[in-house]
Amino acid sequence: MSISPNIGIIGVNHRGRSNTNGVSSENIAALCDVDVNYLDAAKKDFPQAQTFRDWRKLCERKNIDAVVVSTTDHTHAPPSGLAMKTGKHVYCEKPLTLTIDEGKLFRRVVSQTGRVVQGGTQQRSEQPF
């Protein structure tokens, strides 16, 4: 018997939609987006999922095992970092960080938390590759 992890999606439209489809066989337990229209559209596909407009609230949830971060490029590190600090594993679209200092901090958080982090690039995260 396999147990499906509870996944939280942060950023549900555009690349987020594609990433959500990539993990749709798992239990999508939470959806988060600042745009309520995108959030409502995603909720139709995953009616059992809790919805959030603030990724910090999603990260507080104890029932989430991992998150998929597909926000705009300059905002990947903060939700990824908080997710790790709250015990969640992370799949994050590129770029993981925006600056060298942010990258150093990101690496430190990964090391301190022991969470698994996968940085995604469209082609390298797809099945054929």
Side-chain angles (χ1 to χ4, degrees):
M1 174 173 86
S2 69
I3 297 174
S4 185
N6 291 326
I7 306 292
I9 307 293
I10 302 174
V12 299
N13 201 40
H14 302 297
R15 187 73 189 124
R17 169 58 70 188
S18 179
N19 286 337
T20 301
N21 290 339
V23 295
S24 63
S25 64
E26 305 303 330
N27 182 37
I28 306 301
L31 301 165
C32 180
D33 203 289
V34 296
D35 189 310
V36 71
N37 295 311
Y38 295 150
L39 193 57
D40 288 345
K43 179 73 172 172
K44 288 178 184 174
D45 293 332
F46 304 98
Q48 77 289 354
Q50 293 179 285
T51 57
F52 300 90
R53 294 195 57 209
D54 184 334
W55 52 265
R56 294 167 293 203
K57 298 293 184 191
L58 183 149
C59 287
E60 290 174 0
R61 303 298 305 172
K62 302 265 188 246
N63 66 321
I64 304 296
D65 301 307
V67 298
V68 175
V69 178
S70 305
T71 57
T72 55
D73 284 358
H74 65 283
T75 63
H76 290 166
S80 296
L82 183 59
M84 287 183 280
K85 288 178 181 178
T86 57
K88 293 149 187 62
H89 302 290
V90 175
Y91 174 90
C92 181
E93 277 297 310
K94 68 171 177 55
L96 293 177
T97 65
L98 190 60
T99 66
I100 292 170
D101 286 339
E102 196 175 63
K104 290 176 181 178
L105 178 60
F106 193 96
R107 182 186 55 146
R108 201 169 320 129
V109 171
V110 171
S111 179
Q112 290 171 348
T113 63
R115 299 295 87 195
V116 174
V117 177
Q118 178 178 342
T121 61
Q122 230 168 327
Q123 287 188 337
R124 298 300 177 245
S125 298
E126 292 177 357
Q127 186 64 32
F129 300 100

